[in-house]
Amino acid sequence: MSNPIAPNASLNYGGDAAGLICGYLLGTDTPPQEVDSVQAAQWLAGLQAGAAPSGQFLWLHFNLSHAQAVRWMERHAHLPEAFFDALKDRSVSTRIERDDDTLIAVLNDAHFDFAFEPSDIATLWTSVAPHLMVTGRTRPLRSVDVLRTAVRTGNAPCSSVALLAELMRTQASGLVDIVRGVTQRIDDVEDALLAGRLDHKRARLGVLRRLLVRLQRLLAPEPAALFRLLQHPPAWMGADDAQELRDSTEEFSVVLRDMQGLQERIKLLQEEIAASVQEANSRSLFVLTVVTVLALPINILAGLFGMNVGGVPLADNGHGFWIIVAVVAAFTAVAGWLALRGTRDQ
């Protein structure tokens, strides 16, 4: 049977009637060929009939917000029920599981317009079989766009598992950029702290810490499922593909350890800022206390001598005012000495 996909097939990158954003026919001996949903359905029909060329596999990337995307996959892709269950599942933590001879992966990545906000993380659902890799998302993702660019330029992996591993490496590279950006922002906050310019830096650190916590919670692969997969891979997965998948997960682990270090650094900065704010508040309270103590003698004497009753002492004395001033000054000096004595002992 001849290959139903013609070279240089046109492609609507905005998503066609089936919600297909992009599709590529890849192989070891042929250059990448772009396909649409009609050509993909023809190739998959040939695959089911056992007439698909050997050494080739198909990558289809869908927009799951499109109403026809899931229906098309159910009708033509013959994906396992576990994939559709994963689409309905609310758990979006990163994981790679085996369902018979198919790998079901749930990956998380930054939006294409990532702006260092905890909400700028979206999920990518993936099904990997020997001759077919299907990915679906609801919002544009950085890693998929980078992978599409690499495939279009001819730098495409030779197997579906290798394509999945390359996707995970691309995600790890994107996370490295995010970690660098967060590190630069933390450096700016630290420089401002050392210069004494707080200016709501605690709120900025809180946003960055929530971002790192969300990234680590969503991106850390579930170790048990991944261990089972690497120990007992499908029969069609070669040793090289399994090693590539193992290497890509190790790259993820390195980035996640860097995120843990940044979280600890942010925590220390938050504690230091809180200590600085508490110290500033303590100084303000101390000044207020000293002023209150120094004003206490004159307030007491003014209250006593200001009573409009008879028998006020020194009322007829020509030097009474200066005597009272001396008494107030003496009491104020004693009160000031008592207030400041504790600070000199520290």
Side-chain angles (χ1 to χ4, degrees), residues 48-344:
Q48 292 297 320
S54 61
Q56 290 185 328
F57 69 97
L58 193 63
W59 174 34
L60 302 177
H61 181 55
F62 287 90
N63 178 13
L64 296 178
S65 299
H66 198 287
Q68 298 297 324
V70 176
R71 296 177 184 175
W72 191 97
M73 288 186 284
E74 291 175 342
R75 185 179 302 115
H76 299 286
H78 304 285
L79 301 177
E81 288 298 326
F83 176 78
F84 298 104
D85 292 340
L87 294 180
K88 302 174 185 178
D89 191 4
R90 294 186 177 181
S91 176
V92 293
S93 59
T94 295
R95 60 187 184 272
I96 304 177
E97 300 173 339
R98 175 182 172 182
D99 184 75
D100 292 333
D101 285 340
T102 304
L103 301 184
I104 306 299
V106 179
L107 307 176
N108 293 277
D109 192 24
H111 292 172
F112 187 79
D113 53 351
F114 183 75
F116 289 94
E117 294 294 335
S119 59
D120 290 341
I121 306 298
T123 304
L124 179 73
W125 290 268
T126 307
S127 173
V128 182
H131 299 287
L132 177 64
M133 175 172 170
V134 175
T135 56
R137 54 77 171 166
T138 56
R139 295 188 61 179
L141 300 177
R142 280 186 172 187
S143 58
V144 176
D145 187 74
V146 173
L147 188 59
R148 288 171 56 186
T149 302
V151 170
R152 286 200 302 266
T153 56
N155 298 322
C158 299
S159 68
S160 56
V161 176
L163 185 63
L164 174 62
E166 184 63 27
L167 177 62
M168 297 183 66
R169 288 195 186 93
T170 304
Q171 284 185 310
S173 299
L175 289 178
V176 170
D177 295 336
I178 294 176
V179 168
R180 289 174 180 170
V182 172
T183 302
Q184 181 60 47
R185 293 179 177 225
I186 295 175
D187 291 340
D188 295 339
V189 173
E190 190 172 18
D191 292 340
L193 175 62
L194 294 177
R197 304 188 305 270
L198 291 179
D199 189 23
H200 306 293
K201 297 299 187 300
R202 292 181 65 187
R204 289 173 54 187
L205 287 174
V207 171
L208 293 177
R209 189 176 182 185
R210 287 195 299 272
L211 170 64
L212 293 176
V213 170
R214 179 172 174 81
L215 283 173
Q216 187 172 8
R217 179 171 58 86
L218 291 178
L219 297 177
E222 294 183 358
L226 187 58
F227 178 78
R228 288 194 301 268
L229 171 62
L230 294 176
Q231 289 295 113
H232 303 284
W236 55 267
M237 184 187 298
D240 293 338
D241 290 338
Q243 185 60 41
E244 284 196 31
L245 191 59
R246 183 178 291 106
D247 294 341
S248 63
T249 55
E250 289 178 356
E251 292 182 19
F252 254 105
S253 300
V254 172
V255 178
L256 292 174
R257 284 196 294 269
D258 293 340
M259 287 185 179
Q260 286 182 333
L262 284 178
Q263 290 181 47
E264 293 298 325
R265 185 180 175 189
I266 290 176
K267 183 179 179 180
L268 292 176
L269 278 176
Q270 287 179 320
E271 293 176 353
E272 187 172 353
I273 291 176
S276 299
V277 172
Q278 184 178 2
E279 184 179 355
N281 292 336
S282 298
R283 287 197 298 267
S284 300
L285 183 61
F286 173 75
V287 171
L288 180 62
T289 302
V290 170
V291 171
T292 303
V293 170
L294 294 179
L296 185 62
I298 191 173
N299 288 331
I300 293 176
L301 291 179
L304 290 175
F305 284 88
M307 292 185 298
N308 191 17
V309 295
V312 176
L314 304 177
D316 299 326
N317 192 321
H319 302 285
F321 173 76
W322 296 108
I323 295 174
I324 296 301
V325 169
V327 172
V328 169
F331 275 102
T332 302
V334 172
W337 177 79
L338 291 175
L340 297 177
R341 181 183 61 178
T343 59
R344 289 197 301 266

Side-chain angles (χ1 to χ4, degrees), residues 8-16 20-24 33-37 39 59-61 148 152:
N8 302 322
S10 61
L11 178 64
N12 181 2
Y13 285 98
D16 60 11
L20 181 66
I21 300 173
C22 66
Y24 295 96
Q33 301 176 26
E34 299 177 358
V35 303
D36 58 19
S37 59
Q39 296 166 328
W59 174 34
L60 302 177
H61 181 55
R148 288 171 56 186
R152 286 200 302 266

